[in-house]
Amino acid sequence: HCGWSGSVFYRDKYEKKRNYTKPQQPKVITELDGLYEYFQKRHISKDTVSKYKISLNNQNEIVIPYYKYGELVNVKYRKNLEQGKKTFRQEADTEKTLFGMDLIPESQSTLIWVEGEMDVLALAEQGIYSVSVPCGGNDGKLECIENCYDFVEKFDEHIIAVDNDNTGDILKQALVNRLGKYKCRLVNWKQYKDANEALIADEDLRDFIEKAEYMCPDGIVNYCDCFDSLYSFNYESDINYYSTGWQSLDKLIKLRTG
């Protein structure tokens, strides 16, 4: 009743509490044939690598820049070690945002979330634009959501396409809790660990995305998820069943007291 009107966003309140360091443009090398060759093995083209401004430094680290509304806000470094191991580091005290957010088309009303930058690139290879959290499946704080609140808030729906493992399950639940069950659909990567692994297997990633399913509300059980146990209980378990007197009918129905 004081005559004031408008909106107050949590993001504004949050950002006043933090003073982030703006990173310098990373020093990178110009000879990138080795980088392109590495990504080609992952079925990611030079064009996609260039679109996301991925580069390489003289420590042989893959340089992954994070942009927010055209401004460089963070730089992440990935170093591949022997036997498939890798290490990561980020510039200290930088703002944690969403990788790939600046490339999401304005017309897109659904935001796709993945666990790592490689999966953003994998989906982009097939013309699907997504974002990744900056700290992978171990990002319990999800500070990136508050820092990108106005960006995240404009989407009507969210598709969670994180890794198909225990760490991915933890991140999936954290994202659903923050974004809201009623707004989220979940991708099932089936036998694959993530989007990049499915891409390497020459799968159509759009098919996985389009088949993403809504979560069942608490207390509601999906019949398909319980079919095996229901069938076993009714037709395979020997619990005081009585014959109908017709063997052919017994194959279809069984009688028991209850």
Side-chain angles (χ1 to χ4, degrees):
H1 299 286
C2 63
W4 181 89
S5 64
S7 299
V8 177
F9 293 101
Y10 176 70
R11 172 180 178 267
D12 297 330
K13 178 181 177 182
Y14 179 84
E15 288 188 342
K16 288 178 182 178
K17 296 180 180 179
R18 297 292 305 270
N19 292 316
Y20 296 106
T21 299
K22 297 296 183 184
Q24 299 293 321
Q25 282 290 339
K27 295 180 180 179
V28 297
I29 62 176
T30 56
E31 179 54 58
L32 298 178
D33 288 346
L35 178 73
Y36 297 140
E37 182 179 347
Y38 166 76
F39 277 102
Q40 192 62 48
K41 291 177 181 177
R42 304 188 72 139
H43 290 211
I44 297 171
S45 66
K46 176 181 177 180
D47 287 344
T48 299
V49 172
S50 299
K51 181 183 293 185
Y52 285 85
K53 300 182 180 180
I54 308 296
S55 193
L56 196 69
N57 64 17
N58 56 15
Q59 284 83 45
N60 203 33
E61 295 175 311
I62 298 175
V63 180
I64 306 169
Y66 275 64
Y67 288 91
K68 179 182 178 183
Y69 306 133
E71 182 183 11
L72 181 66
V73 294
N74 187 17
V75 183
K76 186 173 178 179
Y77 302 87
R78 168 181 173 139
K79 188 164 188 176
N80 295 322
L81 306 175
E82 296 180 355
Q83 299 178 341
K85 295 182 180 180
K86 53 189 177 290
T87 60
F88 295 96
R89 67 182 180 90
Q90 299 186 41
E91 294 288 350
D93 301 321
T94 53
E95 184 180 9
K96 301 300 179 283
T97 60
L98 299 169
F99 178 74
M101 61 180 287
D102 276 12
L103 292 177
I104 300 294
E106 285 292 331
S107 59
Q108 188 168 312
S109 61
T110 298
L111 185 60
I112 303 169
W113 298 71
V114 294
E115 193 167 323
E117 298 85 5
M118 292 295 174
D119 295 320
V120 171
L121 300 178
L123 287 165
E125 191 64 28
Q126 294 190 358
I128 305 167
Y129 293 94
S130 62
V131 296
S132 167
V133 298
C135 300
N138 297 316
D139 193 350
K141 293 182 179 180
L142 290 176
E143 184 181 326
C144 53
I145 293 180
E146 280 80 16
N147 291 342
C148 302
Y149 182 84
D150 53 351
F151 171 79
V152 173
E153 189 68 9
K154 70 181 182 180
F155 293 96
D156 301 326
E157 182 183 59
H158 300 276
I159 293 180
I160 313 301
V162 295
D163 289 5
N164 185 22
D165 56 19
N166 291 335
T167 304
D169 287 342
I170 294 172
L171 177 59
K172 179 194 304 178
Q173 191 59 56
L175 286 170
V176 167
N177 290 342
R178 296 294 291 275
L179 300 171
K181 278 187 179 181
Y182 67 98
K183 277 190 170 185
C184 293
R185 288 196 288 147
L186 308 179
V187 168
N188 180 359
W189 291 115
K190 298 182 180 178
Q191 70 267 36
Y192 304 110
K193 177 179 178 290
D194 53 30
N196 193 203
E197 192 171 286
L199 177 69
I200 292 171
D202 294 325
E203 293 280 2
D204 182 355
L205 302 185
R206 195 172 297 278
D207 187 53
F208 288 91
I209 298 299
E210 290 177 350
K211 290 180 179 177
E213 297 182 348
Y214 285 103
M215 295 185 68
C216 286
D218 293 335
I220 303 298
V221 179
N222 188 313
Y223 171 76
C224 294
D225 293 338
C226 302
F227 178 81
D228 290 341
S229 59
L230 288 172
Y231 183 89
S232 176
F233 180 79
N234 285 285
Y235 295 103
E236 296 177 356
S237 301
D238 185 16
I239 309 177
N240 299 324
Y241 284 113
Y242 296 90
S243 172
T244 63
W246 291 278
Q247 290 185 353
S248 58
L249 187 58
D250 284 344
K251 294 178 181 179
L252 300 175
I253 62 173
K254 291 185 178 182
L255 305 177
R256 61 182 173 87
T257 58

